[in-house]
Structure formats: structure tokens, C-alpha cells
PDB file of all heavy atoms in Angstrom:
ATOM      1  N   ASP A 886      -1.852   5.032 -14.601  1.00 93.00           N
ATOM      2  CA  ASP A 886      -0.992   5.260 -15.797  1.00 93.00           C
ATOM      3  C   ASP A 886      -0.185   4.006 -16.251  1.00 93.00           C
ATOM      4  O   ASP A 886       0.665   4.174 -17.021  1.00 93.00           O
ATOM      5  CB  ASP A 886      -0.048   6.395 -15.582  1.00 93.00           C
ATOM      6  CG  ASP A 886      -0.779   7.776 -15.484  1.00 93.00           C
ATOM      7  OD1 ASP A 886      -1.987   7.871 -15.817  1.00 93.00           O
ATOM      8  OD2 ASP A 886      -0.190   8.715 -15.099  1.00 93.00           O
ATOM      9  N   ARG A 887      -0.570   2.910 -15.715  1.00 91.00           N
ATOM     10  CA  ARG A 887       0.050   1.595 -16.054  1.00 91.00           C
ATOM     11  C   ARG A 887       1.503   1.533 -15.818  1.00 91.00           C
ATOM     12  O   ARG A 887       2.279   0.872 -16.508  1.00 91.00           O
ATOM     13  CB  ARG A 887      -0.237   1.332 -17.542  1.00 91.00           C
ATOM     14  CG  ARG A 887      -1.699   1.215 -17.845  1.00 91.00           C
ATOM     15  CD  ARG A 887      -1.995   0.845 -19.277  1.00 91.00           C
ATOM     16  NE  ARG A 887      -3.431   0.854 -19.695  1.00 91.00           N
ATOM     17  CZ  ARG A 887      -4.268  -0.089 -19.418  1.00 91.00           C
ATOM     18  NH1 ARG A 887      -3.740  -1.275 -18.839  1.00 91.00           N
ATOM     19  NH2 ARG A 887      -5.435  -0.063 -19.832  1.00 91.00           N
ATOM     20  N   VAL A 888       1.916   2.248 -14.782  1.00 91.00           N
ATOM     21  CA  VAL A 888       3.399   2.082 -14.352  1.00 91.00           C
ATOM     22  C   VAL A 888       3.418   0.978 -13.281  1.00 91.00           C
ATOM     23  O   VAL A 888       2.763   1.027 -12.268  1.00 91.00           O
ATOM     24  CB  VAL A 888       3.820   3.394 -13.693  1.00 91.00           C
ATOM     25  CG1 VAL A 888       5.263   3.198 -13.158  1.00 91.00           C
ATOM     26  CG2 VAL A 888       3.810   4.527 -14.720  1.00 91.00           C
ATOM     27  N   ARG A 889       4.174  -0.150 -13.690  1.00 89.00           N
ATOM     28  CA  ARG A 889       4.217  -1.300 -12.804  1.00 89.00           C
ATOM     29  C   ARG A 889       5.373  -1.403 -11.910  1.00 89.00           C
ATOM     30  O   ARG A 889       5.632  -2.475 -11.329  1.00 89.00           O
ATOM     31  CB  ARG A 889       4.142  -2.521 -13.738  1.00 89.00           C
ATOM     32  CG  ARG A 889       2.984  -2.640 -14.616  1.00 89.00           C
ATOM     33  CD  ARG A 889       1.691  -2.537 -13.845  1.00 89.00           C
ATOM     34  NE  ARG A 889       0.452  -2.512 -14.724  1.00 89.00           N
ATOM     35  CZ  ARG A 889      -0.727  -2.248 -14.259  1.00 89.00           C
ATOM     36  NH1 ARG A 889      -0.852  -1.854 -12.988  1.00 89.00           N
ATOM     37  NH2 ARG A 889      -1.771  -2.179 -15.106  1.00 89.00           N
ATOM     38  N   THR A 890       6.091  -0.300 -11.664  1.00 92.00           N
ATOM     39  CA  THR A 890       7.205  -0.347 -10.671  1.00 92.00           C
ATOM     40  C   THR A 890       6.794  -0.858  -9.365  1.00 92.00           C
ATOM     41  O   THR A 890       5.770  -0.326  -8.739  1.00 92.00           O
ATOM     42  CB  THR A 890       7.766   1.108 -10.487  1.00 92.00           C
ATOM     43  OG1 THR A 890       8.164   1.676 -11.774  1.00 92.00           O
ATOM     44  CG2 THR A 890       8.887   1.122  -9.594  1.00 92.00           C
ATOM     45  N   PRO A 891       7.461  -1.916  -8.816  1.00 93.00           N
ATOM     46  CA  PRO A 891       7.080  -2.382  -7.503  1.00 93.00           C
ATOM     47  C   PRO A 891       7.218  -1.260  -6.407  1.00 93.00           C
ATOM     48  O   PRO A 891       8.159  -0.561  -6.444  1.00 93.00           O
ATOM     49  CB  PRO A 891       8.086  -3.543  -7.258  1.00 93.00           C
ATOM     50  CG  PRO A 891       8.487  -3.947  -8.660  1.00 93.00           C
ATOM     51  CD  PRO A 891       8.470  -2.705  -9.481  1.00 93.00           C
ATOM     52  N   VAL A 892       6.293  -1.213  -5.532  1.00 94.00           N
ATOM     53  CA  VAL A 892       6.233  -0.110  -4.595  1.00 94.00           C
ATOM     54  C   VAL A 892       6.106  -0.787  -3.182  1.00 94.00           C
ATOM     55  O   VAL A 892       5.260  -1.641  -2.892  1.00 94.00           O
ATOM     56  CB  VAL A 892       5.135   0.829  -4.796  1.00 94.00           C
ATOM     57  CG1 VAL A 892       5.067   1.861  -3.630  1.00 94.00           C
ATOM     58  CG2 VAL A 892       5.056   1.441  -6.109  1.00 94.00           C
ATOM     59  N   ILE A 893       6.999  -0.287  -2.254  1.00 94.00           N
ATOM     60  CA  ILE A 893       6.916  -0.579  -0.838  1.00 94.00           C
ATOM     61  C   ILE A 893       6.493   0.714  -0.093  1.00 94.00           C
ATOM     62  O   ILE A 893       7.014   1.765  -0.207  1.00 94.00           O
ATOM     63  CB  ILE A 893       8.266  -0.983  -0.255  1.00 94.00           C
ATOM     64  CG1 ILE A 893       8.784  -2.215  -0.978  1.00 94.00           C
ATOM     65  CG2 ILE A 893       8.149  -1.238   1.268  1.00 94.00           C
ATOM     66  CD1 ILE A 893      10.192  -2.636  -0.486  1.00 94.00           C
ATOM     67  N   ILE A 894       5.283   0.545   0.558  1.00 92.00           N
ATOM     68  CA  ILE A 894       4.770   1.739   1.311  1.00 92.00           C
ATOM     69  C   ILE A 894       5.397   1.747   2.720  1.00 92.00           C
ATOM     70  O   ILE A 894       5.435   0.592   3.315  1.00 92.00           O
ATOM     71  CB  ILE A 894       3.200   1.529   1.462  1.00 92.00           C
ATOM     72  CG1 ILE A 894       2.551   1.844   0.140  1.00 92.00           C
ATOM     73  CG2 ILE A 894       2.638   2.444   2.503  1.00 92.00           C
ATOM     74  CD1 ILE A 894       2.541   3.247  -0.235  1.00 92.00           C
ATOM     75  N   LEU A 895       5.784   2.834   3.162  1.00 91.00           N
ATOM     76  CA  LEU A 895       6.232   3.072   4.552  1.00 91.00           C
ATOM     77  C   LEU A 895       5.127   3.862   5.355  1.00 91.00           C
ATOM     78  O   LEU A 895       4.674   4.874   4.857  1.00 91.00           O
ATOM     79  CB  LEU A 895       7.517   3.805   4.552  1.00 91.00           C
ATOM     80  CG  LEU A 895       8.769   3.238   3.808  1.00 91.00           C
ATOM     81  CD1 LEU A 895       9.967   4.143   3.942  1.00 91.00           C
ATOM     82  CD2 LEU A 895       9.062   1.788   4.350  1.00 91.00           C
ATOM     83  N   SER A 896       4.931   3.438   6.550  1.00 85.00           N
ATOM     84  CA  SER A 896       3.880   4.123   7.306  1.00 85.00           C
ATOM     85  C   SER A 896       4.038   3.877   8.764  1.00 85.00           C
ATOM     86  O   SER A 896       4.499   2.784   9.188  1.00 85.00           O
ATOM     87  CB  SER A 896       2.456   3.753   6.875  1.00 85.00           C
ATOM     88  OG  SER A 896       1.490   4.246   7.648  1.00 85.00           O
ATOM     89  N   ALA A 897       3.727   4.905   9.577  1.00 82.00           N
ATOM     90  CA  ALA A 897       3.708   4.676  11.044  1.00 82.00           C
ATOM     91  C   ALA A 897       2.437   4.069  11.532  1.00 82.00           C
ATOM     92  O   ALA A 897       2.280   3.643  12.690  1.00 82.00           O
ATOM     93  CB  ALA A 897       3.867   6.109  11.671  1.00 82.00           C
ATOM     94  N   ARG A 898       1.419   3.975  10.544  1.00 72.00           N
ATOM     95  CA  ARG A 898       0.160   3.262  10.895  1.00 72.00           C
ATOM     96  C   ARG A 898       0.346   1.801  10.943  1.00 72.00           C
ATOM     97  O   ARG A 898       0.780   1.141   9.839  1.00 72.00           O
ATOM     98  CB  ARG A 898      -0.812   3.684   9.848  1.00 72.00           C
ATOM     99  CG  ARG A 898      -1.163   5.273   9.722  1.00 72.00           C
ATOM    100  CD  ARG A 898      -1.926   5.567   8.605  1.00 72.00           C
ATOM    101  NE  ARG A 898      -2.163   6.996   8.473  1.00 72.00           N
ATOM    102  CZ  ARG A 898      -2.837   7.619   7.438  1.00 72.00           C
ATOM    103  NH1 ARG A 898      -3.194   6.916   6.387  1.00 72.00           N
ATOM    104  NH2 ARG A 898      -2.956   8.895   7.376  1.00 72.00           N
ATOM    105  N   ARG A 899      -0.064   1.204  12.032  1.00 65.00           N
ATOM    106  CA  ARG A 899       0.230  -0.290  12.275  1.00 65.00           C
ATOM    107  C   ARG A 899      -0.999  -1.137  12.113  1.00 65.00           C
ATOM    108  O   ARG A 899      -0.882  -2.424  12.130  1.00 65.00           O
ATOM    109  CB  ARG A 899       0.806  -0.417  13.613  1.00 65.00           C
ATOM    110  CG  ARG A 899       2.189   0.179  13.696  1.00 65.00           C
ATOM    111  CD  ARG A 899       2.775   0.055  15.118  1.00 65.00           C
ATOM    112  NE  ARG A 899       4.168   0.404  15.211  1.00 65.00           N
ATOM    113  CZ  ARG A 899       5.289  -0.378  14.975  1.00 65.00           C
ATOM    114  NH1 ARG A 899       4.965  -1.670  14.691  1.00 65.00           N
ATOM    115  NH2 ARG A 899       6.416   0.140  15.126  1.00 65.00           N
ATOM    116  N   SER A 900      -2.191  -0.557  11.962  1.00 66.00           N
ATOM    117  CA  SER A 900      -3.370  -1.411  12.020  1.00 66.00           C
ATOM    118  C   SER A 900      -3.493  -2.250  10.679  1.00 66.00           C
ATOM    119  O   SER A 900      -2.956  -1.916   9.682  1.00 66.00           O
ATOM    120  CB  SER A 900      -4.643  -0.564  12.127  1.00 66.00           C
ATOM    121  OG  SER A 900      -4.956   0.128  10.959  1.00 66.00           O
ATOM    122  N   ILE A 901      -4.181  -3.384  10.737  1.00 69.00           N
ATOM    123  CA  ILE A 901      -4.328  -4.293   9.704  1.00 69.00           C
ATOM    124  C   ILE A 901      -5.158  -3.548   8.565  1.00 69.00           C
ATOM    125  O   ILE A 901      -4.830  -3.649   7.403  1.00 69.00           O
ATOM    126  CB  ILE A 901      -5.098  -5.554  10.138  1.00 69.00           C
ATOM    127  CG1 ILE A 901      -4.219  -6.398  11.035  1.00 69.00           C
ATOM    128  CG2 ILE A 901      -5.482  -6.373   8.902  1.00 69.00           C
ATOM    129  CD1 ILE A 901      -4.831  -7.623  11.537  1.00 69.00           C
ATOM    130  N   ASP A 902      -6.116  -2.723   8.994  1.00 71.00           N
ATOM    131  CA  ASP A 902      -6.852  -1.988   7.981  1.00 71.00           C
ATOM    132  C   ASP A 902      -6.108  -1.009   7.187  1.00 71.00           C
ATOM    133  O   ASP A 902      -6.240  -0.906   6.000  1.00 71.00           O
ATOM    134  CB  ASP A 902      -8.035  -1.210   8.674  1.00 71.00           C
ATOM    135  CG  ASP A 902      -9.181  -2.156   9.282  1.00 71.00           C
ATOM    136  OD1 ASP A 902      -9.284  -3.260   8.775  1.00 71.00           O
ATOM    137  OD2 ASP A 902      -9.999  -1.653  10.049  1.00 71.00           O
ATOM    138  N   ASP A 903      -5.105  -0.420   7.845  1.00 69.00           N
ATOM    139  CA  ASP A 903      -4.230   0.520   7.114  1.00 69.00           C
ATOM    140  C   ASP A 903      -3.372  -0.267   6.131  1.00 69.00           C
ATOM    141  O   ASP A 903      -3.135   0.192   4.994  1.00 69.00           O
ATOM    142  CB  ASP A 903      -3.341   1.271   8.021  1.00 69.00           C
ATOM    143  CG  ASP A 903      -4.059   2.360   8.793  1.00 69.00           C
ATOM    144  OD1 ASP A 903      -5.002   2.982   8.230  1.00 69.00           O
ATOM    145  OD2 ASP A 903      -3.766   2.656   9.972  1.00 69.00           O
ATOM    146  N   ARG A 904      -2.904  -1.442   6.528  1.00 73.00           N
ATOM    147  CA  ARG A 904      -2.070  -2.249   5.652  1.00 73.00           C
ATOM    148  C   ARG A 904      -2.863  -2.721   4.430  1.00 73.00           C
ATOM    149  O   ARG A 904      -2.391  -2.731   3.358  1.00 73.00           O
ATOM    150  CB  ARG A 904      -1.436  -3.430   6.432  1.00 73.00           C
ATOM    151  CG  ARG A 904      -0.570  -3.071   7.539  1.00 73.00           C
ATOM    152  CD  ARG A 904       0.113  -4.341   8.150  1.00 73.00           C
ATOM    153  NE  ARG A 904       0.839  -3.963   9.344  1.00 73.00           N
ATOM    154  CZ  ARG A 904       1.617  -4.906   9.978  1.00 73.00           C
ATOM    155  NH1 ARG A 904       1.617  -6.152   9.584  1.00 73.00           N
ATOM    156  NH2 ARG A 904       2.221  -4.419  11.127  1.00 73.00           N
ATOM    157  N   ILE A 905      -4.089  -3.107   4.765  1.00 77.00           N
ATOM    158  CA  ILE A 905      -4.963  -3.605   3.600  1.00 77.00           C
ATOM    159  C   ILE A 905      -5.235  -2.504   2.654  1.00 77.00           C
ATOM    160  O   ILE A 905      -5.174  -2.648   1.438  1.00 77.00           O
ATOM    161  CB  ILE A 905      -6.357  -4.184   4.121  1.00 77.00           C
ATOM    162  CG1 ILE A 905      -5.993  -5.515   4.952  1.00 77.00           C
ATOM    163  CG2 ILE A 905      -7.211  -4.425   3.069  1.00 77.00           C
ATOM    164  CD1 ILE A 905      -7.212  -6.037   5.652  1.00 77.00           C
ATOM    165  N   LYS A 906      -5.508  -1.332   3.181  1.00 77.00           N
ATOM    166  CA  LYS A 906      -5.752  -0.153   2.342  1.00 77.00           C
ATOM    167  C   LYS A 906      -4.578   0.158   1.494  1.00 77.00           C
ATOM    168  O   LYS A 906      -4.729   0.407   0.328  1.00 77.00           O
ATOM    169  CB  LYS A 906      -6.132   1.094   3.175  1.00 77.00           C
ATOM    170  CG  LYS A 906      -6.532   2.319   2.400  1.00 77.00           C
ATOM    171  CD  LYS A 906      -6.843   3.486   3.316  1.00 77.00           C
ATOM    172  CE  LYS A 906      -7.217   4.741   2.476  1.00 77.00           C
ATOM    173  NZ  LYS A 906      -7.579   5.886   3.355  1.00 77.00           N
ATOM    174  N   GLY A 907      -3.336   0.104   2.035  1.00 69.00           N
ATOM    175  CA  GLY A 907      -2.167   0.394   1.295  1.00 69.00           C
ATOM    176  C   GLY A 907      -1.965  -0.592   0.103  1.00 69.00           C
ATOM    177  O   GLY A 907      -1.548  -0.207  -1.043  1.00 69.00           O
ATOM    178  N   LEU A 908      -2.179  -1.847   0.446  1.00 78.00           N
ATOM    179  CA  LEU A 908      -2.050  -2.867  -0.616  1.00 78.00           C
ATOM    180  C   LEU A 908      -3.099  -2.797  -1.700  1.00 78.00           C
ATOM    181  O   LEU A 908      -2.809  -3.042  -2.815  1.00 78.00           O
ATOM    182  CB  LEU A 908      -2.036  -4.274   0.041  1.00 78.00           C
ATOM    183  CG  LEU A 908      -0.847  -4.571   0.926  1.00 78.00           C
ATOM    184  CD1 LEU A 908      -1.065  -5.908   1.744  1.00 78.00           C
ATOM    185  CD2 LEU A 908       0.470  -4.544   0.229  1.00 78.00           C
ATOM    186  N   HIS A 909      -4.353  -2.394  -1.277  1.00 79.00           N
ATOM    187  CA  HIS A 909      -5.462  -2.285  -2.211  1.00 79.00           C
ATOM    188  C   HIS A 909      -5.220  -1.119  -3.261  1.00 79.00           C
ATOM    189  O   HIS A 909      -5.817  -1.095  -4.313  1.00 79.00           O
ATOM    190  CB  HIS A 909      -6.685  -2.075  -1.487  1.00 79.00           C
ATOM    191  CG  HIS A 909      -7.314  -3.366  -1.073  1.00 79.00           C
ATOM    192  ND1 HIS A 909      -8.394  -3.446  -0.277  1.00 79.00           N
ATOM    193  CD2 HIS A 909      -6.936  -4.651  -1.260  1.00 79.00           C
ATOM    194  CE1 HIS A 909      -8.762  -4.735  -0.081  1.00 79.00           C
ATOM    195  NE2 HIS A 909      -7.868  -5.434  -0.608  1.00 79.00           N
ATOM    196  N   THR A 910      -4.353  -0.088  -2.887  1.00 83.00           N
ATOM    197  CA  THR A 910      -4.088   1.011  -3.762  1.00 83.00           C
ATOM    198  C   THR A 910      -3.278   0.554  -4.975  1.00 83.00           C
ATOM    199  O   THR A 910      -3.105   1.267  -5.954  1.00 83.00           O
ATOM    200  CB  THR A 910      -3.420   2.107  -3.003  1.00 83.00           C
ATOM    201  OG1 THR A 910      -2.121   1.676  -2.608  1.00 83.00           O
ATOM    202  CG2 THR A 910      -4.272   2.646  -1.928  1.00 83.00           C
ATOM    203  N   GLY A 911      -2.553  -0.630  -4.765  1.00 87.00           N
ATOM    204  CA  GLY A 911      -1.741  -1.048  -5.807  1.00 87.00           C
ATOM    205  C   GLY A 911      -0.271  -1.256  -5.328  1.00 87.00           C
ATOM    206  O   GLY A 911       0.612  -1.642  -6.132  1.00 87.00           O
ATOM    207  N   ALA A 912       0.038  -0.951  -4.075  1.00 89.00           N
ATOM    208  CA  ALA A 912       1.352  -1.165  -3.523  1.00 89.00           C
ATOM    209  C   ALA A 912       1.657  -2.672  -3.549  1.00 89.00           C
ATOM    210  O   ALA A 912       0.692  -3.571  -3.398  1.00 89.00           O
ATOM    211  CB  ALA A 912       1.525  -0.589  -2.175  1.00 89.00           C
TER     212      ALA A 912
END
């Protein structure tokens, strides 16, 4: 919806793949 609010994702998942997935969503 073109909302550009900066987002910090919080997660108990520590793997690199999880971090990459989170950043790829737009976080």
C-alpha cells in the first residue's frame, strides 16, 4: 500500500535465513 514507515522486526528466530526473509519482506 506504499506505506514507507521504517520497520524494525522483532523475532526469537536467530538464523540468517530468517533475518534475510524478514528484510526481504520490506522491513
Side-chain angles (χ1 to χ4, degrees):
D886 288 348
R887 301 183 182 278
V888 176
R889 301 304 178 194
T890 301
V892 177
I893 298 177
I894 287 288
L895 300 180
S896 177
R898 300 171 181 171
R899 294 174 170 272
S900 74
I901 293 177
D902 287 343
D903 287 323
R904 296 185 187 187
I905 291 174
K906 183 178 179 180
L908 295 172
H909 278 173
T910 63

